[in-house]
Amino acid sequence: MKHTITELRAAYASGELSPVEALKSLAASIDQRDADIGGYLSHDLDTALSEAEKADLSKPLGGVPIAIKDLINVKGQPCSCASRILHGHYTAPYDATVIRKLREAGAIPFGRANMDEFAMGSSNENSGIQPCRNPWDTNRIPGGSSGGSAAVVASDTAIAALGSDTGGSIRQPASHCGVVGLKPTYGRVSRFGLVAFASSLDQIGPVTKSVEDAALMLQAISGHDERDSTSVPEPVPNYAESLGRDIRGMKIGLPKEYFAEGLDANVRAAVEAAVKQLESLGAETVEISLPNTEHAVAVYYIIATAEASANLARFDGVRYGHRAENPEDLLDHYKRSRAEGFGEEVKRRIILGTYVLSSGYYDAYYLRAQKVRTLIRDDFAKAFEQVDLIASPVSPIPPFRLGEKLDDPLAMYLADIYTISANLAGICGISVPCGFAETQGAARPLPVGLQLLGKPFGESEVLRAAHAYEQATHWHRERAFD
Ligand code: GLN
């Protein structure tokens, strides 16, 4: 189903389609296509159909099916985080706040999207259940960790999806799959019911086929929630109002550190052409500097692993999930349940995180990383005194082949260079399709995303510029499948 949310709603309004027909057609395209993509871990058509029969089409997302990354709790559905420690062992007993809000807006949470285990990864290859492939070239990765969310939207087996972004996990797969991905400001969206990876970085956000759809989804899920004390009681603006406004006079910063060595020439060409397009729409661009960028990867992989090691302590084989058979004693029970349940990357991060938090190393690693994080945040604050938005590539490279970087975790981490600073600083950002890069060995040119970063709670400005850009180009209308 090629429909965007807006198009689907128009088809409902005109009587051309009903929510039941839309769901059946979606299920048929999943049957036909998803075996090659691996974007879904499961879906529950029967429940969705009974919800579709009662859909209230007057609501903003009335009768719209949404794919949900498999780490957000939807009552009655499995929530495995693509981990063997939970897969087949855990059914969500409640709705996450974002799901409650989506339901209030009339949406139907339909289908569990594949991901890197516990959202740790940039390629979806760390899924403990099944690999996920890029719809534009199935030998290539879709990006991660919300690889499934991006792949199902890009392969038209979903209308839209929810993902989560801790260090780029919405924007990077959106970029690699040629769809729109929005990471809201830290505190904009409640994380109640999201399985935590790194609590000071995680945000939930939409993956969609258009900027307008991203605005609609953001509108539905934003706002304060007393069940997540980090959600901020800032009023939620009307995001649709920022669409369709021109960007004349808008000041856009180009961080020189984001256009430096290591950026693939074809990705650079696509992003530079996008910058020219923004200029021709009346934006003024200026070079800026984010001098602490070089430390971002190191800082992120200390803070994220430290927080992950604490968050994942709850998976002990007692309260949740996989339980080792015939343990000798309690310690053996913990050790084997975790050793059997967690995958390689998750173990690597728990060990790293435990190490940086241990006494004697805490000051040298964790505390120091927190100080550099403040410097990174200050870099952005200073930049935003000068500019309204920041434009850059999302990923320095096009999607790589499955298996290509599996033996080299550091190379994989380094590819997060342009996305993780936004999480460290807590700001918002979007990836919008901005062209295709010729890629050696690929079946065809592969999608490239333009990243637009905004001030804290500056989603309206981000959406306004992204929409103006999108409307002036045709990239978002290119589909992976005819
Ligand atoms: N690729 C990053 C990581 O592996 C980001 C993941 C994410 O945003 N969840 O941690």
Side-chain angles (χ1 to χ4, degrees):
M1 285 200 86
K2 290 192 178 157
H3 297 71
T4 61
I5 295 177
T6 323
E7 289 163 357
L8 189 63
R9 297 206 59 236
Y12 290 165
S14 71
E16 185 194 319
L17 264 181
S18 72
V20 166
E21 286 163 344
L23 266 170
K24 286 187 177 161
S25 150
L26 209 53
S29 56
I30 295 171
D31 283 347
Q32 185 194 14
R33 213 167 262 172
D34 200 54
D36 294 335
I37 304 295
Y40 281 99
L41 296 178
S42 64
H43 61 75
D44 179 357
L45 184 59
D46 292 341
T47 308
L49 283 175
S50 67
E51 287 169 21
E53 276 162 16
K54 297 178 293 222
D56 178 351
L57 301 184
S58 67
K59 293 188 168 171
L61 298 173
V64 178
I66 309 283
I68 310 292
K69 187 177 182 179
D70 198 34
L71 79 178
I72 298 171
N73 280 271
V74 176
K75 189 176 179 178
Q77 296 185 12
C79 180
S80 78
C81 304
S83 178
R84 289 192 312 273
I85 210 159
L86 288 174
H87 187 64
H89 297 289
Y90 182 74
T91 302
Y94 66 101
D95 275 341
T97 296
V98 288
I99 300 300
R100 177 174 59 73
K101 283 175 163 277
L102 280 182
R103 288 192 198 282
E104 280 166 11
I108 302 172
F110 172 65
R112 309 293 301 169
N114 202 354
M115 55 184 283
D116 284 298
E117 185 177 3
F118 287 106
M120 298 176 189
S122 312
S123 69
N124 217 116
E125 291 167 293
N126 298 332
S127 171
I129 317 301
Q130 65 189 30
C132 181
R133 293 166 185 279
N134 192 310
W136 295 87
D137 178 345
T138 52
N139 294 314
R140 304 261 158 179
I141 56 109
S145 66
S146 312
S149 300
V152 296
V153 174
S155 60
D156 291 314
T157 54
I159 307 297
L162 278 186
S164 67
D165 192 312
T166 303
S169 278
I170 289 175
R171 291 160 286 155
Q172 186 257 22
S175 169
H176 281 343
C177 291
V179 294
V180 176
L182 176 88
K183 176 225 171 290
T185 305
Y186 188 77
R188 177 75 295 177
V189 176
S190 165
R191 290 99 42 87
F192 177 74
L194 167 78
V195 179
F197 160 14
S199 308
S200 77
L201 302 160
D202 301 337
Q203 266 293 293
I204 298 172
V207 180
T208 57
K209 297 178 195 179
S210 72
V211 174
E212 187 178 12
D213 281 6
L216 271 170
M217 293 267 286
L218 182 66
Q219 195 75 51
I221 62 175
S222 291
H224 178 61
D225 175 15
E226 56 187 28
R227 288 172 158 166
D228 176 359
S229 60
T230 66
S231 73
V232 175
E234 281 276 318
V236 180
N238 182 340
Y239 292 116
E241 267 174 15
S242 48
L243 308 179
R245 289 175 47 210
D246 71 48
I247 57 168
R248 257 173 287 165
M250 213 180 216
K251 237 174 156 187
I252 301 184
L254 307 171
K256 63 172 195 255
E257 295 81 1
Y258 285 43
F259 290 87
E261 214 188 314
L263 176 58
D264 174 272
N266 295 325
V267 172
R268 175 194 293 273
V271 174
E272 284 180 351
V275 169
K276 289 260 166 333
Q277 180 78 53
L278 290 167
E279 287 168 352
S280 74
L281 292 169
E284 185 191 331
T285 58
V286 284
E287 186 180 277
I288 57 164
S289 176
L290 300 167
N292 288 292
T293 300
E294 58 173 320
H295 306 302
V297 171
V299 166
Y300 170 84
Y301 278 94
I302 289 173
I303 293 174
T305 57
E307 294 181 11
S309 74
N311 277 325
L312 270 58
R314 65 179 61 120
F315 301 102
D316 55 8
V318 177
R319 286 167 292 188
Y320 301 95
H322 172 74
R323 185 173 283 192
E325 277 177 27
N326 305 319
E328 278 169 27
D329 52 27
L330 184 62
L331 196 60
D332 184 47
H333 168 91
Y334 287 150
K335 276 190 187 164
R336 279 204 291 118
S337 298
R338 286 166 70 82
E340 291 163 8
F342 288 137
E344 287 305 302
E345 181 63 24
V346 173
K347 286 178 191 165
R348 182 180 296 124
R349 298 211 187 183
I350 291 174
I351 291 169
L352 198 60
T354 309
Y355 179 82
V356 299
L357 288 177
S358 54
S359 73
Y361 294 106
Y362 182 90
D363 288 3
Y365 293 108
Y366 188 71
L367 205 61
R368 189 176 294 182
Q370 290 290 17
K371 289 180 181 162
V372 182
R373 179 179 189 171
T374 305
L375 298 178
I376 291 171
R377 182 175 299 166
D378 291 348
D379 281 356
F380 280 99
K382 214 179 272 166
F384 282 126
E385 284 171 12
Q386 213 191 323
V387 297
D388 302 305
L389 289 178
I390 293 172
S392 79
V394 175
S395 166
I397 47 173
F400 47 87
R401 273 185 292 276
L402 268 86
E404 195 178 314
K405 291 193 196 297
L406 267 187
D407 297 336
D408 191 352
L410 196 56
M412 190 96 84
Y413 298 169
L414 287 171
D416 294 337
I417 179 75
Y418 304 142
T419 51
I420 54 188
S421 295
N423 302 75
L424 291 167
I427 61 176
C428 58
I430 200 168
S431 173
V432 274
C434 75
F436 293 83
E438 285 290 343
T439 308
Q440 221 190 351
R444 53 174 157 170
L446 299 173
V448 180
L450 166 72
Q451 176 167 247
L452 294 170
L453 298 174
K455 297 172 189 172
F457 300 98
E459 283 83 356
S460 293
E461 296 297 272
V462 166
L463 288 163
R464 173 180 161 196
H467 188 251
Y469 172 76
E470 181 193 71
Q471 293 307 300
T473 60
H474 60 91
W475 307 117
H476 66 293
R477 279 194 292 273
E478 305 281 334
R479 310 303 306 153
F481 292 95
D482 292 332

